[in-house]
């Protein structure tokens, strides 16, 4: 089977979605398929522009020039290919391939729900609302979907104007890099890297400044926990440098000397950060899947996360759960409640802590990449056969 994967351009600097396209490509090639990853090239984006002008000229490359290229590539070929839209956010291309064998991967609808005014914490301007409407109008023309979680699948089906031909979900596959390792060695290496002692353990968070990652809430939890705990371990936040709001929350913390932000870590160092952490705290308001939950568990790190889908879907019975913010009148009372749950967990005996780690390792096996790629391949093959016939899938 010839598979053409449509991916995000590289000139916008996105890493996670091109990485997902590579994950699909490599997995399908290992199963013997011929795979081509196609993405917009930076024609006008090479111009020496900055700011909003740079972004909009990038959209011309992505949605005008590339759309014309894709139209002619698909319109005048008799080859029986399978076209894969690696992210529903690229939905403007969906109508071009809707009459071909196709699959759309869906990650999350946070941007679309924000544009509709359903997420007050993330207001969207007029152009953003128009952009999300265009994306929706595009991917809603497709017929076959694979979502990254059951929660995302259900949200998709609520959004679509009609029942799709295929709608299912397959969890993301974990990078085999993430595995259990020596906690002592990991802490020693992170101590050297951060130039701060991690010998007694630390709180860990991995993520960016997106509103739903709830970094501000995380710092509030840490503040409340330090107020009640005899432990004095630091909080390490790996990901983007803090934005203005996060920086302000950090500056106001009386424990700011023990709060460490770190950006640009290698995948290996992120793995060691998971391996050495006392607890991974992931108080997200929402996610599409929640990669870091599975990554932390695979590395033997206990996970505390919010008891909402899909976080509780990914964490299963292995995570320690706190309620989501919307269950409380304010962020401070929520943070106090969460800190009490974390303190109760960390106060458990060594045997109970080890059992929690082992449950996490076993739960992470659900996201074995070989298994998830095989599930995706079964769906790809079904879609191809529905369009081209039972004996033309090689």
């Amino acid at each position: 089977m010839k598979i053409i994967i449509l991916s995000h351009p590289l000139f916008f600097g996105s890493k996670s979605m091109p990485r997902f396209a590579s994950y699909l490509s490599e997995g399908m090639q290992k199963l013997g398929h011929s795979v081509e990853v196609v993405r917009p090239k930076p024609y006008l984006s090479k111009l020496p522009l900055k700011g909003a002008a740079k972004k909009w000229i990038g959209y011309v490359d992505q949605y005008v020039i590339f759309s014309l290229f894709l139209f002619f590539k698909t319109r005048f070929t008799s080859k029986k290919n399978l076209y894969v839209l690696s992210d529903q956010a690229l939905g403007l291309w969906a109508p071009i391939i809707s009459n071909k064998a196709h699959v759309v991967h869906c990650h999350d609808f946070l941007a679309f729900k924000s544009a509709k005014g359903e997420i007050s914490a993330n207001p969207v301007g007029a152009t953003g609302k128009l952009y999300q409407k265009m994306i929706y109008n595009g991917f809603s023309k497709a017929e076959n979907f694979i979502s990254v979680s059951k929660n995302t699948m259900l949200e998709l089906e609520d959004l679509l104007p009609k029942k799709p031909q295929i709608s299912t979900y397959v969890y993301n596959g974990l990078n085999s890099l993430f595995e259990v390792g020596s906690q002592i060695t990991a802490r020693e290496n992170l101590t050297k890297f951060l130039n701060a002692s991690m010998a007694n353990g630390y709180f860990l968070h991995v993520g960016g400044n997106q509103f739903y990652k709830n970094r501000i809430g995380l710092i509030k939890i840490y503040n409340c926990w330090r107020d009640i705990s005899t432990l004095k371990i630091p909080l390490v936040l790996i990901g983007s440098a803090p934005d203005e709001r996060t920086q302000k929350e950090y500056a106001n913390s009386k424990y700011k000397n023990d709060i460490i932000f770190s950006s640009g870590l290698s995948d290996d160092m992120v793995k060691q950060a998971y391996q050495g952490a006392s607890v991974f705290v992931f108080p997200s308001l929402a996610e599409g899947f929640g990669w870091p939950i599975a990554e932390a568990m695979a590395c033997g790190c206990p996970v505390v996360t919010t008891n909402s889908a899909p976080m509780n879907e990914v964490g299963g019975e292995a995570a320690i759960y706190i309620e989501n913010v919307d269950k409380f009148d304010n962020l401070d009372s929520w943070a106090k409640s969460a800190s009490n749950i974390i303190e109760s967990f960390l106060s458990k005996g060594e045997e109970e802590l080890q059992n929690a780690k082992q449950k996490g390792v076993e739960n992470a096996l659900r996201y074995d990449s070989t298994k998830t790629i095989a599930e995706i391949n079964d769906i790809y093959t079904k879609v191809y056969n529905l369009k081209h016939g039972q004996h033309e899938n090689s």
Side-chain angles (χ1 to χ4, degrees), residues 140-159:
S140 63
K141 302 294 192 299
E143 295 183 335
N144 307 299
F145 299 88
I146 302 176
S147 298
V148 297
S149 68
K150 184 177 181 180
N151 182 68
T152 298
M153 180 191 75
L154 295 175
E155 289 186 341
L156 167 72
E157 292 173 356
D158 282 342
L159 291 174

Side-chain angles (χ1 to χ4, degrees), residues 117-310:
E118 296 177 8
I119 302 178
S120 58
N122 188 42
V124 176
T127 55
K129 291 177 181 179
L130 176 61
Y131 182 45
Q132 290 301 319
K133 184 176 181 180
M134 292 169 66
I135 289 172
Y136 167 76
N137 288 340
F139 73 70
S140 63
K141 302 294 192 299
E143 295 183 335
N144 307 299
F145 299 88
I146 302 176
S147 298
V148 297
S149 68
K150 184 177 181 180
N151 182 68
T152 298
M153 180 191 75
L154 295 175
E155 289 186 341
L156 167 72
E157 292 173 356
D158 282 342
L159 291 174
L160 292 175
K162 63 178 182 179
K163 185 177 180 180
Q165 179 174 250
I166 292 176
S167 176
T168 187
Y169 66 95
V170 176
Y171 293 127
N172 284 330
L174 267 178
N175 188 323
S176 59
L177 168 77
F178 297 105
E179 60 184 4
V180 177
S182 168
Q183 187 179 72
I184 294 174
T185 301
R187 289 179 179 179
E188 289 175 348
N189 291 338
L190 199 64
T191 293
K192 294 175 184 177
F193 185 86
L194 297 177
N195 195 29
S197 178
M198 300 290 134
N200 296 322
Y202 49 93
F203 272 40
L204 179 67
H205 180 266
V206 176
N209 293 309
Q210 301 95 324
F211 77 95
Y212 56 88
K213 295 295 184 184
N214 197 18
R215 273 181 157 185
I216 291 173
L218 172 68
I219 294 173
K220 286 185 179 293
I221 290 174
Y222 179 70
N223 291 340
C224 291
W225 175 78
R226 284 292 299 268
D227 285 344
I228 63 174
S229 179
T230 58
L231 295 175
K232 296 181 180 180
I233 58 177
L235 166 62
V236 178
L237 296 94
I238 293 175
S240 309
D243 60 11
E244 185 177 347
R245 292 177 67 247
T246 306
Q247 184 67 35
K248 182 178 179 180
E249 190 67 34
Y250 157 78
N252 290 334
S253 171
K254 58 184 175 180
Y255 303 110
K256 64 182 178 183
N257 290 338
D258 289 332
I259 299 176
I260 301 167
F261 293 91
S262 185
S263 303
L265 276 71
S266 66
D267 287 346
D268 182 69
M269 188 55 71
V270 173
K271 175 189 71 175
Q272 292 192 61
Y274 284 133
Q275 291 172 343
S278 303
V279 63
F280 178 71
V281 186
F282 196 69
S284 283
L285 308 178
E287 292 284 334
F289 175 70
W291 279 101
I293 297 172
E295 292 172 351
M297 287 185 172
C299 293
C301 179
V303 172
V304 174
T305 189
T306 26
N307 193 17
S308 300

